[in-house]
Structures are given as C-alpha cells and as structure tokens.
C-alpha cells in the first residue's frame, strides 16, 4: 500500500498539470517521460544533442505556470519534477525505517538524488542502525556520491551480481572484495 505525505498530496494536482503541459510542448521522440505518481522525470539520454534536449526541457518547465510551485532537480541525463516540499529519498528512507522499525539498511544509489539517502543512512547509524551505502560509479554520476559511499561498484551489472551473491551466498573472486566489505561493515556495526 502506497503512503503519500499530506504535504506532497497537496502538490499532486500541480504535478499532473505540469506534466501534461510539459509533455505537450516537448515534441521529441528521443525523450522519455516517466510519471512516478508523486514525482516525474524526463530522461534525455537518447537525444542526439543532449545539451539542446536539456535546455528544451528546462525551458518548457520554466514557461509552464503549473510548474512554478514545484521543484526541479537534475541528475544523470534527467530532469526531475518534484513537489514543492522538503521531501527526498533521504526523508523517505527515514520514514520507512521508522515505520518498519528497520535495524539494518543497505542502500544502492547512482545519482545525485541518492545523496540525501546516503546522508540519512549516516543519521541512522548515529542511533545504532546498521547501514551500508553503496554507490554505482559512472562518468555521469556525481563524485560526492562515491566519496560518501561505504562501497563503490563500477557498474549496474556488478550491482545485480552483488545482490544475487549476497542472497545466494555464492561468492566469486571478482566481487569477493565488495562482499567482504559489505559483510565487514555489517558485522562491525552490530
């Protein structure tokens, strides 16, 4: 069951109107619009000219009256449209951890929006939770993500392998160092 903060709910009509207006003004099949219900993302990774695509998206948002009460952030080849409230992946992580009474969290991130979650993990550690922040490094990602991570993986494929091996406990030499580090971090924090 999805739980949406009341402050976020108040912004959903503006988000819907913003998304409709912006989508109608963007006539480019290389863009991918992702409606996430409480946020939206417009990906321009497939655009021939990424700078022009980014500018076109930002201009469309800037010229859209319903978008004026919303927040806009950028990530790896993506523009995010968010409710105009202080809610992010870090506040969501904290809320879930508190509601579910989680004592341990492993979080994997690859973009600037994941920094808030990494920082929330640090706060969870202060109160005794076992947490591991894993960055998936890339040339498009923010360097501070890797700097704030406990573990860094070099690709999305490694992420899948790590999760599979953690679940199955079948460790191979390629990921052994990452697995050892995750396990060591988890054990150190008990």
């Amino acid at each position: 069951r999805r739980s949406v903060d009341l402050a976020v709910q108040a912004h959903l009509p503006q988000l819907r109107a913003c998304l409709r207006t912006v989508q109608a003004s963007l006539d480019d099949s290389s863009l991918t619009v992702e409606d996430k219900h409480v946020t939206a993302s417009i990906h321009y990774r497939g655009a021939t000219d990424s700078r022009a695509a980014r500018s076109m998206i930002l201009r469309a948002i800037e010229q859209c009256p319903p978008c004026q009460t919303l927040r806009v952030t950028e990530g790896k080849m993506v523009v995010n449209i968010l409710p105009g409230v202080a809610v992010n992946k870090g506040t969501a992580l904290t809320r879930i951890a508190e509601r579910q009474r989680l004592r341990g969290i492993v979080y994997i991130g690859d973009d600037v929006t994941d920094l808030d979650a990494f920082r929330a993990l640090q706060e969870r550690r202060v109160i005794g939770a076992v947490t591991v922040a894993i960055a998936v490094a890339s040339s498009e990602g923010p360097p501070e993500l890797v700097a704030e991570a406990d573990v860094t993986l070099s690709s999305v494929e490694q992420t899948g392998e790590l999760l599979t091996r953690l679940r199955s406990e079948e460790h191979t030499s390629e990921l052994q160092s990452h697995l050892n580090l995750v396990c060591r971090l988890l054990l150190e924090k008990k």
Side-chain angles (χ1 to χ4, degrees):
R1 187 176 139 222
R2 183 178 282 185
S3 172
V4 179
D5 186 278
L6 292 176
V8 171
Q9 282 181 359
H11 289 268
L12 293 182
Q14 291 94 335
L15 182 66
R16 300 273 74 74
C18 171
L19 194 53
R20 279 192 307 274
T21 304
V22 169
Q23 270 187 294
S25 69
L26 296 174
D27 187 25
D28 187 335
S29 62
S30 69
L31 304 178
T32 303
V33 177
E34 185 179 7
D35 183 348
K36 301 176 183 179
H37 181 64
V38 295
T39 68
S41 298
I42 305 170
H43 301 267
Y44 55 93
R45 181 175 310 284
T48 305
D49 183 346
S50 60
R51 284 187 180 153
R54 176 185 170 273
S55 294
M56 180 176 57
I57 294 165
L58 292 173
R59 190 170 36 259
I61 293 169
E62 185 178 293
Q63 294 172 356
C64 172
C67 297
Q68 302 311 305
T69 61
L70 304 173
R71 291 185 305 129
V72 176
T73 64
E74 295 185 63
K76 295 186 317 186
M77 309 290 272
V78 64
V79 176
N80 302 301
I81 305 169
L82 311 163
V85 294
V87 175
N88 56 49
K89 289 182 180 181
T91 58
L93 183 143
T94 299
R95 187 175 185 177
I96 291 167
E98 289 172 354
R99 281 189 175 172
Q100 300 297 318
R101 297 184 178 138
L102 300 178
R103 296 182 320 209
I105 303 167
V106 175
Y107 185 96
I108 302 172
D110 69 346
D111 206 349
V112 68
T113 57
D114 296 306
L115 284 167
D116 294 318
F118 278 20
R119 292 171 185 145
L121 290 176
Q122 290 290 342
E123 292 171 13
R124 305 300 304 163
R125 288 178 188 170
V126 171
I127 60 170
V130 177
T131 68
V132 180
I134 302 175
V136 181
S138 76
S139 59
E140 299 167 355
E144 55 266 35
L145 190 71
V146 171
E148 292 190 30
D150 299 308
V151 178
T152 302
L153 301 176
S154 61
S155 68
V156 172
E157 292 76 24
Q158 266 198 327
T159 303
E161 292 172 22
L162 176 66
L163 293 172
T164 300
R165 290 197 172 93
L166 280 173
R167 192 180 85 210
S168 68
E169 298 185 39
E170 295 175 20
H171 304 200
T172 63
S173 60
E174 184 181 340
L175 287 177
Q176 188 67 43
S177 62
H178 296 305
L179 293 170
N180 285 341
L181 183 53
V182 169
C183 293
R184 191 176 76 244
L185 287 167
L186 288 171
L187 291 173
E188 285 175 1
K189 296 175 189 315
K190 282 189 177 179

